[in-house]
Structure formats: C-alpha cells, structure tokens
Amino acid sequence: MSKSAVDLPPKGGFSFDLCRRNDMLAKQGLKSPSFLKTGTTIVGLIFQDGVILGADTRATEGPIVADKNCEKIHYMAPNIYCCGAGTAADTEAVTDMVSSQLQLHRYHTGRESRVVTALTLLKKHLFNYQGYVSAALVLGGVDCTGAHLHTIFPHGSTDTLPFATMGSGSLAAMAIFESKYKEGLTRDEGVKLVCEAISAGIFNDLGSGSNVDVCVITKGHKEYLRNHLLPNPRTYVNPNGFVFPKKIEVLLTKITPLKEKVEVIEGEAMEE
C-alpha cells in the first residue's frame, strides 16, 4: 500500500465500530442495559386565544416516588414553554440549553423568539443523540405568526397538532381529548379540559400522580398556574405526631479537647 493511501483522512459517514464492540461484548456474556419505563402525563392544546399546557407533578425512580411535587413545565422564552417527559435530568438540561440559545438569539436580533426556532433547536439536538437523550417534549407558544403546539420525540421526530399528549399516561389523556376537544375553546373550557386529561393520567397510570400544573400562554402574556388542581389530597394526618417507644441509648461519650499549635519560624523578611 502506498504512503499516500495511508495518509488519506478517513471518509465521512457512519461509524459502526461501537456496534462491533457491543456485539463482541454480548457474545462474551455481557448484558446490555435494559430500558426503564418513565412515568409522566403531559398535554397541550390550542384554544381561541393561545396555547394551554398541562402536566402532573410526580417524579418516579423505578417503583419509588422520588418527588411528589416536581415541575415538568419548563421555561423556554417569555412566550414559549415546554413540558418534559422522560429522564428528569435530560429534560431539564435540554430545555435549559435551548432556552439560553433563544435568549442569545433575542439579544442578537432584538425580536421575540419564534416557536419554530425552539422546535428546530430541540429536534436537531435530540436527533444527534439518536434517542439516547431521553426527553419527550410538548412545546407550545404564541409568536407573531400565531399559536403553535408541537410534540418532539426522543429520536428527533416532531408533530404539529391542535392537541397533544405524551408520557406513560398519554393514552388516558388522549381519550379525554379525542372525546371532548373542539375548535374555538374558551380559556376556562381549555383549562378545565387540560385538568381533566391530566387527572385521567393521574388516576389510570401508576407513573403519574400528585397535582396538576397548568400554563396558559396568550399573545404578550402567560399565566403559570402551579398546583392548580389537587386531586390527591392527604386525607389523614396523625394529630399526635409520631412516637418512638424505645429511646436511643448513649453508649459512649468521649470529649477530645482541641489545642491550637502555633509554630513561629524565624527568618528574613520577604522583599517586595
């Protein structure tokens, strides 16, 4: 082989080196990590004046409820918000990253961010990672071209719809939307329908639960209704608190006095 052929840079395209490595490891008995089910219900719909987004507030860690009142509706721009389902760290990191890019774009142009700009930045980032960034998003906002609602899947594919649901409770929420959604909803009708769809996910999906958050976005205004609905209140609290019958016994008490030790080293002063 000639020297010129060796010095040529590798040609572009996909590299399948890791696929061969994974196949070799699988033949040696190494099990690949399994997929974990993530629990969430997030929805969005377009009403006569703008967009309404909704989400539950339960964060799960396998079979454990890690957080009963987390925030799943993320700020993107003053006129754009995004609901996130999937791995909490991925959804927060991706939305924060794109939010900062939109902020720089507004400084550079002096104009309001468009929803399609946020959509393009999100889908390009997720497509680059081929689904390994576990973030399923419902993006909504109102800009100079009107109200927009999009869904973004972890692999980078997108949909533009008048109403949308995502997450493990999406089927229950979609049943509510498909049976009751109509064009030209008022604000109160839209908020009521979003709350009903999230409640359907809360009561029919084990990965969704706790409270209902709602965000109403209109032209030049947004309203974030944190804990707008509490479908699962704590009904009983022991008025006497918790009593532990056995007291904690002190087995050993040892006090070690601390002494300051100061060593003075004589020498010449440092010259400036």
Side-chain angles (χ1 to χ4, degrees), residues 204-226:
N204 294 282
D205 173 47
L206 293 177
S208 307
S210 297
N211 310 321
V212 179
D213 287 349
V214 178
C215 185
V216 182
I217 307 172
T218 55
K219 183 65 176 177
H221 183 260
K222 68 90 183 174
E223 187 178 5
Y224 194 147
L225 305 175
R226 176 71 169 148

Side-chain angles (χ1 to χ4, degrees), residues 104-171:
L104 293 173
H105 188 263
R106 289 196 299 276
Y107 286 151
H108 182 70
T109 61
R111 298 179 180 180
E112 183 182 62
S113 298
R114 293 195 180 189
V115 182
V116 69
T117 306
L119 175 70
T120 304
L121 292 171
L122 288 168
K123 68 188 293 185
K124 286 181 68 176
H125 179 78
L126 293 177
F127 177 75
N128 286 339
Y129 286 91
Q130 293 290 298
Y132 285 98
V133 176
S134 179
L137 308 172
V138 174
L139 179 71
V142 180
D143 55 24
C144 60
T145 61
H148 302 275
L149 182 69
H150 307 280
T151 59
I152 309 165
F153 292 84
H155 289 81
S157 60
T158 61
D159 285 326
T160 301
L161 302 164
F163 58 90
T165 66
M166 293 199 81
S168 57
S170 60
L171 295 179

Side-chain angles (χ1 to χ4, degrees), residues 169-196:
S170 60
L171 295 179
M174 182 57 75
I176 299 296
F177 276 171
E178 288 187 342
S179 61
K180 297 186 178 182
Y181 179 82
K182 61 182 179 181
E183 293 185 357
L185 289 171
T186 64
R187 178 194 178 279
D188 293 339
E189 290 174 342
V191 170
K192 181 180 178 182
L193 185 57
V194 165
C195 290
E196 189 175 349

